[in-house]
Amino acid sequence: MANIDRRDFLKLIGAGGVGAGAGFLLADSIKHPVEHLIPYPVPPEEYSPGIVTWYNSVCGMCSAGCGISVRIREGRAKKIEGNPLHPVSQGALCALGQAGLQVLYNPDRITGPLQVSGERGAGTFAELTWDDALRSAAGRLAPLVESGRGDRVWMLSSGGGGHLGRLQREFMDALGSQNLVRYDFAHPQTLYAANRRFFGEDALPYYDLKNCDYLLSFGADYLGTWISPVLHSLGFGHSRQGTEGSRGRFVQIEPRLSLTGASADEWIPARPGTEGLLALGLAHQLVAGGAYEGPDADAWNATLASYGSARVAAETGVPEDTVKRLADAFAHHHSALAIGGGAAASHRNGVDTLVAVNALNYLAGNIGKPGGLVFNPAPAAGGSPGQEGYRGALALIEAAGRSEVEVLILSDANPLYSLPAAAGFEAALQQIPLVLSLSSFMDETTARADLILPSHTYLESWGDDFPEPGVGFPVGAVSQPVVAPLYNTRASGDTLLALAQQSGALLPWASMEERVKDGWRAIHARGSWEDEPELQDFDGFWTALLESGVWGETAHREHTGFSPAPEVIDGIGMPSAEFSGAAQSYPFVLHPYLSQTFNDGRGANLPWMQELADPMTAVVYGCWVEVNPKTAARLGLSEGDVVEVASPHGQIRAPVFVYPAIMPDVVAMPIGQGHTEYGRYAKGRGANPIQILTPEMEPESGALAWAGTRVQLTKTGERAKLVHTGGESRQLGRNIIQTEGAGDVTHAGGPAIPIKVVPS
Amino acid sequence: MSVSIVPTLRVLKPTFLIVGGGLAGLVLGYWVNVLFFPGLTPTQPIEFSHKIHAGDNEIPCQYCHIYARRSTSAGVPSVAKCVGCHENVAADKPQIRLVMNYWNNQEPIPWVKVHDLPDFVHFPHKRHVAAEIECQTCHGPVETMEVVTRIAPLQMGWCLECHRAENVVHGTDCWTCHK
Amino acid sequence: MNFLDRFRDGWRTYRKPGYYDGYDYHWAMTIDLDRCTGCEACVTACQAENNLPIVGERELARGREIRWIRIERYWEGEYPNVKLGFIPLLCQHCDQAPCETVCPVAATYHNPDGLNAQVYNRCIGTRSCAVYCPYEVRYFNYYDHRWDPPLEQQLNPDVSVRGKGVMEKCTFCIQRIRQAKDTAKDEGERRVRDGEVQPACVQTCPTRALTFGDSNDPDSAVSRKMADPRGYKVLEELNAHPSVVYLKKVKAGDAG
């Protein structure tokens, strides 16, 4: 290396320079990135970085109305827990309630008002300001109000509880319209009707699961999706193991084993639509066997005479000795309770079924008793909000067909998804000149709207709820905004008030907050506050209410000797359930059920819910048709075979899941998937069984008879992979779940894994 | 027979020079950066002097860093807090005018973090304040600094030295600090 | 004593059941299978509390789920005499945990509260612990997971977001335990009271099937439940000494 010439020297220097630069940059690039400390210009009240604040509110994920506490840090909602003070949730919460955070922070929320651009339904929207949006909507409403044709405005709502529901009514009244339709697929409308007929009460009773020691459930998935699952679960847990020396026994009667059925001590499959017949069969045994000794025993004997166990056994498919055994157990347990709901209550004889269940409770003498069913004093904010239900939705469809609907306002309702296609809503929508949606999400119906006035999520808005059935005394809870609104949205109550004001239909409140407060002033005035001077003043009461999140009156209602009128007893009977589709060509009864994860489909846009394994099948992100193993073998179907499920009203496709606990002539499908809109997590996934349901209704209540459809299955030859989580579906002798008790473990799991001894 | 490698080397010499020079430069550049530009003293959007505030005027640390006593983070004062004093005090100084600009626009001041811990570390200021550890133990003599500079390495070994020396209960358990 | 002897000696003491009894706390859980309905509220609560990623359908199909607590379901019998049993499975925080002995970098270890701890930034992702775990409750991050904005705003700042190549598992909500201890310390160096700290799953459970607490405290709710004659440990024969005690499901007789 003696002689480096000038050329080489320059090369060396050049390379060294480039290298040094690269080295410098390299060192820089692996340094800790610059982080900033961003202070607030003015810190909000109660704000401390790193310190948690809790706000109490009301869960908006279903109509149960559980109280929640939301954990807030740095202005963001981090976690939802049950409000321990709230007597419905008592600090607990279900999976869907936990996932409420993903409603708030959902990436597919509508971020501001939208107006359709181009053809309606094409899915193209243009943003506009709230002023323009409200002016545009009010411009259509005002002429109708002025000319006294306000009844050409219709509103379809899922039936918000509390003062939002009242405000909807007040808004429509101010417009001069009676056409508020509340339709919620999961609403127990037939139960209201049955209670009206049997008890003369337009309300749901509180079912005291906590203190009951024998529960017969006719189709009600009370631990999963029925009315108030968290409250029922708390009661179930307590009845099971909450008191020393006693353990409640739970019996579930349904054609397909549900989550509740799996937790029950006994599952009894009965033919779909015959649950009420079974209830009357049990009632017959009770009365005929002399277990019932009331003064009206003769009337009962007469009306139940034709429901002998032989007939009941033959028609329901439940063995005769089981019928007798159930009746015996029901009569001899201290606090026996019967409940009915779900598919059993959604046949065309749904109300009769539930009246039969009510009769069973009456005959067991548990009305108003601990461990029985208890009617509450009237809720503080008036009676039950009620539902026009499916009958109301049909009225809307008819009116639209007659071109009598000028404006349709959708509030938290998605009828294109939750009404059977055969009901004809899609065609009716074409006839409506202006469709306004107040939805937070681009669901199927909102995508067909002309104008979208997006609402806050429940975690951003004021509201309240008076949970029905409550817990034996009136309960109310206030829902307050726990975080600042994320987007340019407005609470639907505020939107309605603004619309009313601009349309010349005056309402006395400036905001939803005022409306809620106004309602609570009346409730405050009901109470006497002598012992609590700090609550005497409304402001003090309001502050205390927001802190605790819940209010309750310690008023119980005395149940004194209820007995049904003779004509009610006389009128008890059981018409057989009718099905749409002939048994020859449609051999299976379709059993749609509310999904544990998606409820009626509203949870499908939440990634946590999509990833949550279905409790029974462990399937994630999926949709399937449940078929009995024997039936599957007969049809040559195995898991993953895509079948066409056809009813007289349409067909859908889904892969088969061979389900060990379903009657051979029933197929079941979860409701919840099959969205054609509704955001990236829901769209284009699976099928929606509601689409192919019969558009018939239960005549007495006007509810959709969603369990009354027959279907046929056709193998398409295609295959689809159902994604499961978890492991082996049988214990294989590992004894992971251990049992003990009266009926000793005879077959815990299958045979042990044989260990092969290899001869040396 | 023997073959001399000298001719080959001669041909490869320029390549050696470039690669060798480049590598040497890389090491040098890296070393210079790490040693002379450690980023311990970042430039702040406003030339805030801890010396004037904490030193000359003897304002206690927690007068501005109000959360240190009760939270994991000590917090930086809100713009409102700065303005609270400086509406009257030294309001004509150019740096204070900058603060007023932020205030008038209701914008936060984007301070640059001097002491930053990785996200997997749980460090509660609260516990250390409660244990009566002087702020200066970790942050250095801030009251003498015109511009704040980091004096502590903020590495795990450095944390543990103190935890061991002070016999902190479970002070060397991973889950005391790792989250 | 040479190094090897010392090592073996320490190892034996440390592996002795009851070693942690002398410490302040020994966190433990009971799960009453007679109450559990398999509703999976615990699963979602855990996902929300502990920043569990949204894995996606494709990855789930390859068995790459991440779920610190999950429900296993076992069918029994054939139609119509068919039963389905649920059992929530989470890290059992074994006192003689097989996963701890195998980690080459000591990223998983037993902490003085009897918790089986995982230190994410120390983990190098050999996945040996997952192989050794008989309960299959350790989960591996095959990818850096992402949250579609603004979902990330929900992330819990008290829990690390784990990156690619890191093993993770249930911590008994260590951030909540830490918080409770912090509060207890503030209030005059007292002990954490029974019921003061609950992991997310326990807090949300609608049937109150889950109980959590300090098993070193004989009066705690969890100690009382652990003494229930129905108590058993899953795969007890493996001698891992889990801190999670299950209470047997009661099988009602046919009568009644």
Side-chain angles (χ1 to χ4, degrees):
Chain A
M1 296 305 222
N3 38 8
I4 292 176
D5 58 21
R6 182 171 162 277
R7 213 172 258 270
D8 289 341
F9 180 72
L10 285 177
K11 275 181 192 161
L12 181 67
I13 293 298
V18 170
F24 193 88
L25 291 176
L26 177 73
D28 233 31
S29 70
I30 55 179
K31 261 189 202 158
H32 208 71
V34 172
E35 301 253 356
H36 289 279
L37 282 165
I38 311 285
Y40 271 103
V42 182
E45 252 181 279
E46 300 179 26
Y47 167 83
S48 312
I51 293 178
V52 163
T53 15
W54 292 87
Y55 290 99
N56 288 329
S57 192
V58 179
C59 183
M61 301 301 285
C62 80
S63 50
C66 292
I68 55 171
S69 298
V70 188
R71 187 168 82 210
I72 306 290
R73 245 188 84 169
E74 280 96 49
R76 286 172 180 174
K78 297 295 177 189
K79 183 83 187 358
I80 304 179
E81 307 286 1
N83 178 358
L85 296 173
H86 198 290
V88 171
S89 52
Q90 298 170 36
L93 205 59
C94 71
L96 197 58
Q98 289 282 350
L101 294 168
Q102 294 203 324
V103 173
L104 174 66
Y105 292 124
N106 198 292
D108 297 314
R109 276 183 63 181
I110 301 172
T111 56
L114 296 174
Q115 186 160 37
V116 74
S117 62
E119 209 174 319
R120 186 209 278 180
T124 47
F125 290 93
E127 291 178 19
L128 71 169
T129 64
W130 270 99
D131 282 347
D132 289 346
L134 288 171
R135 199 177 305 127
S136 157
R140 304 285 286 271
L141 292 173
L144 293 173
V145 175
E146 272 166 34
S147 59
R149 289 182 300 141
D151 61 347
R152 297 177 80 84
V153 181
W154 287 65
M155 184 190 283
L156 187 61
S157 149
S158 65
H163 284 99
L164 180 61
R166 288 188 129 198
L167 182 69
Q168 288 173 348
R169 171 66 74 202
E170 286 150 358
F171 169 79
M172 295 302 280
D173 284 348
L175 293 185
S177 170
Q178 292 300 307
N179 301 321
L180 170 61
V181 176
R182 285 161 296 197
Y183 169 75
D184 178 2
F185 184 85
H187 188 77
Q189 219 178 331
T190 46
L191 186 53
Y192 279 96
N195 291 345
R196 274 196 301 270
R197 194 201 308 171
F198 193 82
F199 295 113
E201 303 264 1
D202 191 15
L204 300 180
Y206 164 57
Y207 295 103
D208 190 7
L209 264 62
K210 188 177 172 186
N211 297 310
C212 90
D213 58 2
Y214 190 79
L215 182 82
L216 271 180
S217 161
F218 294 87
D221 180 16
Y222 54 91
L223 298 174
T225 51
W226 187 68
I227 298 181
S228 194
V230 172
L231 179 63
H232 298 147
S233 296
L234 285 159
F236 171 85
H238 190 271
S239 173
R240 265 280 166 87
Q241 289 293 340
T243 23
E244 196 94 15
S246 94
R247 177 178 181 276
R249 188 179 165 91
F250 295 81
V251 179
Q252 185 79 359
I253 299 148
E254 55 190 3
R256 173 235 175 221
L257 185 84
S258 65
L259 176 97
T260 306
S263 300
D265 297 284
E266 192 176 357
W267 169 56
I268 297 169
R271 286 202 190 101
T274 65
E275 291 90 346
L277 191 66
L278 182 58
L280 289 186
L282 299 181
H284 171 87
Q285 293 290 323
L286 241 66
V287 177
Y292 177 69
E293 294 166 339
D296 49 1
D298 289 343
W300 283 103
N301 247 323
T303 201
L304 294 171
S306 60
Y307 297 95
S309 53
R311 176 197 163 192
V312 168
E315 289 189 30
T316 58
V318 178
E320 196 173 342
D321 52 345
T322 306
V323 177
K324 287 181 175 159
R325 178 166 57 81
L326 288 180
D328 200 43
F330 196 77
H332 291 106
H333 271 85
H334 182 255
S335 325
L337 176 63
I339 58 178
S346 303
H347 288 283
R348 265 173 267 176
N349 60 5
V351 175
D352 295 297
T353 300
L354 295 178
V355 167
V357 172
N358 281 342
L360 210 46
N361 281 319
Y362 171 72
L363 295 172
N366 65 19
I367 315 281
K369 299 255 175 65
L373 59 86
V374 183
F375 279 98
N376 301 325
S384 133
Q387 291 240 323
E388 289 72 19
Y390 182 60
R391 184 180 281 150
L394 288 183
L396 165 65
I397 292 167
E398 274 169 35
R402 293 193 303 266
S403 298
E404 286 172 11
V405 182
E406 211 125 314
V407 181
L408 173 64
I409 302 172
L410 297 161
S411 177
D412 201 17
N414 184 12
L416 276 181
Y417 183 88
S418 59
L419 285 173
F425 184 79
E426 192 163 7
L429 203 61
Q430 312 280 345
Q431 306 288 317
I432 303 172
L434 179 68
V435 179
L436 279 180
S437 173
L438 308 185
S439 175
S440 310
F441 294 98
M442 193 58 87
D443 55 43
E444 284 79 0
T445 321
T446 302
R448 308 283 189 92
D450 299 287
L451 189 59
I452 303 171
L453 305 170
S455 91
H456 288 339
T457 62
Y458 69 98
L459 293 172
E460 299 162 294
S461 10
W462 285 98
D464 53 2
D465 198 40
F466 301 89
E468 211 187 348
V471 288
F473 55 87
V475 176
V478 171
S479 154
Q480 56 179 323
V482 298
V483 290
L486 255 69
Y487 300 115
N488 185 22
T489 55
R490 288 191 187 183
S492 58
D494 287 331
T495 307
L496 290 182
L497 286 168
L499 276 178
Q501 201 209 3
Q502 295 196 18
S503 314
L506 284 183
L507 288 170
W509 307 282
S511 68
M512 186 63 196
E513 184 182 357
E514 266 183 43
R515 175 69 195 95
V516 173
K517 261 185 154 173
D518 208 37
W520 281 88
R521 275 204 182 87
I523 295 167
H524 178 245
R526 273 168 50 139
S528 67
W529 309 102
E530 280 150 21
D531 301 338
E532 291 145 304
E534 71 278 8
L535 302 182
Q536 218 145 30
D537 175 49
F538 177 73
D539 287 336
F541 171 75
W542 184 248
T543 312
L545 181 63
L546 290 186
E547 257 170 43
S548 65
V550 66
W551 160 95
E553 264 178 348
T554 46
H556 294 268
R557 209 168 92 182
E558 291 303 321
H559 282 261
T560 42
F562 162 81
S563 57
E567 62 268 23
V568 171
I569 303 176
D570 230 28
I572 286 175
M574 213 51 227
S576 63
E578 289 164 48
F579 291 90
S580 163
Q584 286 83 9
S585 39
Y586 298 97
F588 301 102
V589 173
L590 177 64
H591 177 88
Y593 61 92
L594 292 175
S595 151
Q596 171 79 13
T597 44
F598 307 134
N599 197 281
D600 60 355
R602 69 187 72 177
N605 64 342
L606 312 174
W608 285 344
M609 290 292 100
Q610 287 283 0
E611 293 227 328
L612 191 64
D614 174 74
M616 309 301 285
T617 62
V619 174
V620 290
Y621 283 104
C623 175
W624 58 92
V625 187
E626 289 166 16
V627 182
N628 179 287
K630 288 226 171 74
T631 311
R634 184 165 56 79
L635 298 176
L637 296 171
S638 60
E639 186 184 314
D641 278 334
V642 176
V643 287
E644 190 176 83
V645 185
S647 80
H649 307 285
Q651 60 280 321
I652 48 176
R653 287 170 165 230
V656 163
F657 184 92
V658 179
Y659 193 76
I662 185 167
M663 297 181 80
D665 49 359
V666 177
V667 295
M669 276 191 84
I671 294 166
Q673 299 277 30
H675 285 277
T676 54
E677 294 286 343
Y678 208 35
R680 68 192 76 176
Y681 303 105
K683 193 172 174 176
R685 213 176 262 295
N688 174 14
I690 302 177
Q691 289 303 302
I692 60 166
L693 295 182
T694 169
E696 303 285 330
M697 69 167 122
E698 195 287 322
E700 186 170 344
S701 61
L704 175 66
W706 51 261
T709 311
R710 286 185 160 277
V711 293
Q712 51 172 280
L713 299 186
T714 322
K715 197 172 173 178
T716 63
E718 286 171 39
R719 304 259 317 151
K721 187 176 162 67
L722 281 173
V723 179
H724 299 251
T725 64
E728 184 57 50
S729 67
R730 300 265 167 172
Q731 295 209 51
L732 304 175
R734 291 172 294 174
N735 217 8
I736 290 171
I737 299 182
Q738 299 187 13
T739 52
E740 65 151 41
D744 269 320
V745 192
T746 47
H747 49 290
I753 305 170
I755 298 168
K756 278 188 190 148
V757 181
V758 182
S760 54
Chain B
M1 203 181 86
S2 68
V3 177
S4 165
I5 60 159
V6 174
T8 323
L9 279 179
R10 193 163 296 143
V11 174
L12 286 177
K13 194 175 77 179
T15 323
F16 278 140
L17 278 176
I18 291 172
V19 172
L23 280 178
L26 196 77
V27 173
L28 185 79
Y30 190 93
W31 181 72
V32 166
N33 187 329
V34 169
L35 219 65
F36 297 105
F37 301 90
L40 299 175
T41 320
T43 316
Q44 300 290 355
I46 289 172
E47 291 172 21
F48 175 85
S49 163
H50 273 88
K51 180 172 178 294
I52 295 175
H53 290 82
D56 301 349
N57 291 309
E58 294 181 351
I59 302 171
C61 305
Q62 292 194 39
Y63 183 79
C64 293
H65 302 287
I66 53 172
Y67 306 111
R69 197 175 58 258
R70 55 197 170 92
S71 175
T72 47
S73 49
V76 281
S78 61
V79 186
K81 187 117 194 170
C82 304
V83 171
C85 291
H86 280 294
E87 253 177 340
N88 304 317
V89 182
D92 53 333
K93 300 263 173 67
Q95 289 297 319
I96 305 302
R97 289 226 180 92
L98 279 178
V99 177
M100 285 305 178
N101 270 345
Y102 282 108
W103 176 246
N104 293 334
N105 299 330
Q106 284 294 300
E107 278 173 7
I109 306 171
W111 300 108
V112 180
K113 243 180 157 178
V114 181
H115 298 83
D116 189 34
L117 291 172
D119 288 346
F120 51 74
V121 176
H122 166 77
F123 174 83
H125 270 93
K126 174 185 167 181
R127 281 266 72 82
H128 295 82
V129 174
E132 294 177 350
I133 295 163
E134 292 290 322
C135 304
Q136 283 82 350
T137 313
C138 303
H139 291 284
V142 173
E143 70 281 1
T144 63
M145 298 180 191
E146 280 290 351
V147 182
V148 175
T149 185
R150 176 157 70 81
I151 56 141
L154 299 186
Q155 300 280 346
M156 190 172 102
W158 171 80
C159 298
L160 285 178
E161 258 173 46
C162 191
H163 275 198
R164 287 203 177 102
E166 300 292 329
N167 276 325
V168 178
V169 182
H170 299 334
T172 57
D173 177 25
C174 308
W175 262 5
T176 301
C177 310
H178 285 279
K179 62 181 187 187
Chain C
M1 230 191 318
N2 68 18
F3 164 75
L4 215 74
D5 286 339
R6 223 168 46 228
F7 179 80
R8 206 159 42 203
D9 208 47
W11 190 246
R12 278 183 187 144
T13 335
Y14 157 75
R15 303 281 289 174
K16 219 177 273 167
Y19 174 76
Y20 298 101
D21 292 354
Y23 281 90
D24 280 357
Y25 304 99
H26 188 173
W27 302 112
M29 190 186 282
T30 58
I31 300 178
D32 190 339
L33 296 182
D34 206 28
R35 283 180 182 240
C36 176
T37 64
C39 75
E40 301 202 305
C42 50
V43 181
T44 311
C46 175
Q47 184 149 21
E49 173 73 20
N50 290 306
N51 300 341
L52 298 202
I54 297 149
V55 180
E57 186 179 13
R58 217 187 52 180
E59 294 303 307
L60 283 171
R62 303 168 82 172
R64 294 174 177 180
E65 67 167 322
I66 296 184
R67 200 142 304 172
W68 290 3
I69 180 168
R70 66 171 193 269
I71 308 283
E72 285 290 351
R73 46 194 67 66
Y74 295 108
W75 291 95
E76 205 184 292
E78 306 298 336
Y79 179 86
N81 297 314
V82 58
K83 281 205 172 289
L84 177 61
F86 297 107
I87 181 167
L89 274 177
L90 67 164
C91 174
Q92 310 279 310
H93 292 274
C94 309
D95 282 350
Q96 296 193 34
C99 56
E100 290 166 12
T101 60
V102 71
C103 182
V105 291
T108 181
Y109 74 103
H110 224 67
N111 100 339
D113 283 0
L115 294 171
N116 175 258
Q118 176 77 17
V119 184
Y120 306 122
N121 58 314
R122 186 172 257 197
C123 175
I124 56 168
T126 67
R127 291 185 271 156
S128 319
C129 52
V131 176
Y132 272 50
C133 174
Y135 304 96
E136 310 241 336
V137 288
R138 292 179 150 268
Y139 300 92
F140 188 66
N141 284 279
Y142 286 87
Y143 288 98
D144 274 327
H145 297 283
R146 54 184 289 273
W147 282 260
D148 290 333
L151 283 177
E152 83 290 345
Q153 295 197 18
Q154 179 273 328
L155 293 178
N156 185 352
D158 294 330
V159 178
S160 298
V161 172
R162 284 78 57 185
K164 178 166 76 176
V166 171
M167 191 57 76
E168 62 180 72
K169 63 160 201 70
C170 162
T171 64
F172 269 173
C173 284
I174 178 66
Q175 67 280 9
R176 294 185 176 203
I177 297 175
R178 203 184 273 138
Q179 180 65 44
K181 284 185 172 176
D182 195 60
T183 311
K185 220 168 188 176
D186 283 348
E187 293 171 6
E189 304 278 332
R190 64 167 173 84
R191 277 171 65 84
V192 174
R193 292 190 200 102
D194 190 31
E196 196 176 345
V197 52
Q198 285 183 318
C201 52
V202 178
Q203 183 165 8
T204 206
C205 178
T207 56
R208 301 282 180 245
L210 277 57
T211 312
F212 178 82
D214 175 18
S215 65
N216 277 355
D217 169 7
D219 297 326
S220 70
V222 78
S223 294
R224 289 198 304 269
K225 292 221 169 173
M226 282 166 95
D228 191 300
R230 288 189 294 132
Y232 76 99
K233 291 172 178 172
V234 169
L235 303 178
E236 191 164 9
E237 64 275 20
L238 299 178
N239 215 23
H241 289 273
S243 299
V244 178
V245 171
Y246 290 84
L247 306 184
K248 284 180 189 169
K249 197 175 170 71
V250 176
K251 206 166 191 175
D254 283 341

